[in-house]
Amino acid sequence: MRILSIDGGGVRGIASLVFLSELDRWLKLRYSKSIQDCFDIFVGTSTGALISVALVYLDMSPEQILATFYSRDRMLAIMPSLSWYSFMRYYFTPMYDGVEKRKLIEQYLPEGPMNGLFDAKHIRKKVLLTTYNIQQRAPKIYDSSVAGESLREIVDAATSPPVYFPSVLVGGQYEADGGLFANSPAIIGATEGLVTCPTAFQILSVGTGRSNTGNYSANFSGGLFGWLRNNLVDILLGAPQSFHNELLQLIMGDRFLRVNSALKSDSFEVSYTLDDTSEHNIDQLTRMGRYWFDLYRPKLEAFFDRELLGAKTEMVKFGPFASPRPAPSAPSIYPSAFTFTLE
């Protein structure tokens, strides 16, 4: 069983999609299989949630997702340039109203409950999406096999990071971007793997770039503005993400492959913000995504060539080899939308 996990990161999801486009082409050439053929579970946070849904529910290739959801015109409509006056006003309201984002979701995503929209082609796939319930102060995980809430509402909420977009009503509760607790959702995929196929699963975790900006010093002890100047939000989101991925690498070894890099290198320099839609930044994101594929290609070959044995599950041909795979009747570990409760 293989799991694809895609991080949150706003516009930086372009790099993830460029990498996945290169991977998709390579899989078709090497194994005559698409990305959808080679993974059983798709886990996404924020921009990764939208990509996961487009891959499975819309059966789009990564290249089609780029053209449909991540063209510069689309992104400028959703996140228009801000004047200084507007920027000051957004101390009290979200930076963007989310209207154009909602229109795009309604234009392309099917209407109906998340668990009732699969066609026969992808009936065996599973999608896990993250949101954060603001009223209950609780992380939520939506499982496509059981979640009866509206797919459109879930994706709208999943792609609404605080400050950038307003929260969204899902089933009568206000929810926001799941990046508040799992910007890198690989740990959620690992939990699903441990329950459904404990001895034979792999995870490919695709990032959106790691910030290396700021004037940090060994004895930094600034106040609020000092921390904000040194990317406090990025630190708060990145610290648990780094810990989770290091932990998975330690536990799973080469069955866990993390694709990511710093935002700045000799070949590219990507903005750390989530909403830089400039032509220059999009070009740099494209360069970073291609760099990832070239960098990780040897590991990708090992990842897709290997066979995992030992799981007591149905053997099904998928992807480039016969791999253990849970039977379609395997119960979900998440009752509808799984909500963590606070002690």
Side-chain angles (χ1 to χ4, degrees):
M1 183 176 74
R2 294 195 205 92
I3 300 167
L4 176 61
S5 169
I6 309 173
D7 287 15
V11 168
R12 281 155 47 184
I14 290 174
S16 309
L17 278 167
V18 170
F19 166 79
L20 291 173
S21 295
E22 297 290 331
L23 176 62
D24 192 49
R25 280 192 286 269
W26 178 76
L27 288 170
K28 288 172 180 174
L29 286 171
R30 189 176 179 90
Y31 307 110
S32 299
K33 299 291 182 181
S34 68
I35 280 182
Q36 287 93 332
D37 296 325
C38 295
F39 290 94
D40 299 276
I41 298 174
F42 298 76
V43 192
T45 289
S46 193
T47 195
L50 176 59
I51 294 169
S52 297
V53 166
L55 284 170
V56 180
Y57 283 85
L58 304 182
D59 196 32
M60 285 184 170
S61 69
E63 198 166 351
Q64 289 174 318
I65 299 171
L66 271 170
T68 303
F69 295 99
Y70 291 85
S71 70
R72 186 161 186 261
D73 288 343
R74 290 283 195 194
M75 290 187 295
L76 282 173
I78 294 170
M79 298 178 289
S81 300
L82 303 176
S83 65
W84 278 106
Y85 170 76
S86 298
F87 186 77
M88 293 302 293
R89 182 166 61 86
Y90 293 127
Y91 273 95
F92 306 98
T93 62
M95 295 173 67
Y96 310 106
D97 59 21
V99 172
E100 292 300 320
K101 176 167 72 76
R102 179 70 181 191
K103 286 181 180 177
L104 186 63
I105 288 171
E106 291 177 348
Q107 180 180 351
Y108 287 98
L109 268 58
E111 183 177 3
M114 185 179 182
N115 65 345
L117 297 173
F118 279 115
D119 59 25
K121 185 175 181 180
H122 295 311
I123 196 69
R124 296 179 65 93
K125 306 295 182 183
K126 178 175 283 195
V127 177
L128 302 173
L129 307 180
T130 65
T131 67
Y132 185 82
N133 187 304
I134 298 170
Q135 292 166 257
Q136 298 181 24
R137 297 294 191 270
K140 296 191 74 172
I141 300 168
Y142 287 97
D143 183 330
S144 61
S145 65
V146 290
E149 292 82 356
S150 164
L151 177 66
R152 291 177 177 178
E153 291 178 359
I154 294 168
V155 173
D156 197 9
T159 55
S160 294
V163 179
Y164 289 91
F165 293 102
S167 55
V168 176
L169 273 173
V170 182
Q173 295 279 309
Y174 281 101
E175 298 182 11
D177 194 305
L180 289 169
F181 73 98
N183 198 53
S184 179
I187 193 75
I188 296 168
T191 304
E192 182 76 23
L194 285 169
V195 171
T196 60
C197 198
T199 61
F201 69 94
Q202 297 168 280
I203 299 177
L204 175 62
S205 173
V206 182
T208 55
R210 185 178 63 254
S211 180
N212 53 0
T213 62
N215 300 311
Y216 306 105
S217 62
N219 61 349
F220 177 75
S221 57
L224 175 61
F225 288 103
W227 276 104
L228 290 175
R229 185 171 62 88
N230 282 279
N231 260 340
L232 174 62
V233 174
D234 197 68
I235 293 172
L236 291 174
L237 293 178
Q241 171 180 306
S242 298
F243 172 72
H244 291 160
N245 289 323
E246 290 292 337
L247 189 63
L248 288 174
Q249 190 73 71
L250 180 65
I251 295 171
M252 296 183 63
D254 61 3
R255 291 190 294 133
F256 176 77
L257 177 55
R258 174 68 171 167
V259 173
N260 206 23
S261 73
L263 293 172
K264 182 179 179 180
S265 77
D266 294 337
S267 304
F268 51 82
E269 185 171 355
V270 172
S271 169
Y272 70 89
T273 63
L274 307 183
D275 60 346
D276 186 341
T277 57
S278 66
E279 290 183 5
H280 173 75
N281 194 52
I282 292 173
D283 174 69
Q284 297 303 300
L285 285 163
T286 302
R287 290 171 181 263
M288 185 166 71
R290 289 173 178 161
Y291 167 81
W292 289 349
F293 182 76
D294 291 338
L295 178 66
Y296 289 98
R297 181 165 176 169
K299 291 185 177 181
L300 288 166
E301 291 178 357
F303 184 87
F304 285 100
D305 281 345
R306 70 176 298 167
E307 288 193 14
L308 299 174
L309 302 175
K312 296 179 180 179
T313 54
E314 179 186 3
M315 296 292 288
V316 177
K317 271 281 188 181
F318 78 106
F321 56 82
S323 176
R325 182 175 184 178
S329 60
S332 169
I333 63 171
Y334 304 111
S336 184
F338 181 69
T339 304
F340 292 86
T341 55
L342 299 178
E343 294 295 333

